[in-house]
Amino acid sequence: MELGGRPVGRVWISQSEDALLVVDMAFLPGHRSAGIGTMLLEEVFAEADRGRVPVRLTSTKANPRALALCERLGFSVVSDDGLFVMLERGPR
């Protein structure tokens, strides 16, 4: 992913009939906590809302930034195996 022609990170999204799955989202250190993840997920939400499907992602429990972002954006935990959590944000 680029911003202003410069690389800032990567994102992989898989679309199926029943959900949009954020497979991977990572940012270079100088671009974390800059609102890029929020902006990106809001675009994913808009697409999911148009298709009336949820957005799902999995995060390690050892990533407090990712978990805080997901909580702030309205994701709910749907499963927790002690190491990873599956989160979902339903269509609006």
Side-chain angles (χ1 to χ4, degrees):
M1 173 177 18
E2 293 184 349
L3 186 63
R6 296 182 7 215
V8 297
R10 68 175 182 257
V11 62
W12 295 336
I13 297 173
S14 175
Q15 184 172 0
S16 68
E17 290 182 20
D18 67 338
L20 284 178
L21 176 65
V22 179
V23 177
D24 185 45
M25 184 168 69
F27 300 99
L28 295 171
H31 300 283
R32 295 177 186 153
S33 299
I36 300 168
T38 298
M39 179 181 68
L40 176 67
L41 286 172
E42 286 174 348
E43 290 180 22
V44 173
F45 294 159
E47 180 69 23
D49 292 347
R50 282 191 291 276
R52 294 190 175 113
V53 296
V55 175
R56 296 185 182 127
L57 61 83
T58 300
S59 178
T60 175
K61 292 179 80 170
N63 189 341
R65 282 185 183 177
L67 296 174
L69 173 64
C70 291
E71 182 178 339
R72 185 170 50 81
L73 293 178
F75 281 89
S76 299
V77 174
V78 293
S79 69
D80 180 342
D81 70 4
L83 183 58
F84 293 96
V85 291
M86 164 88 51
L87 300 128
E88 181 175 288
R89 185 255 191 200
R92 303 286 185 327

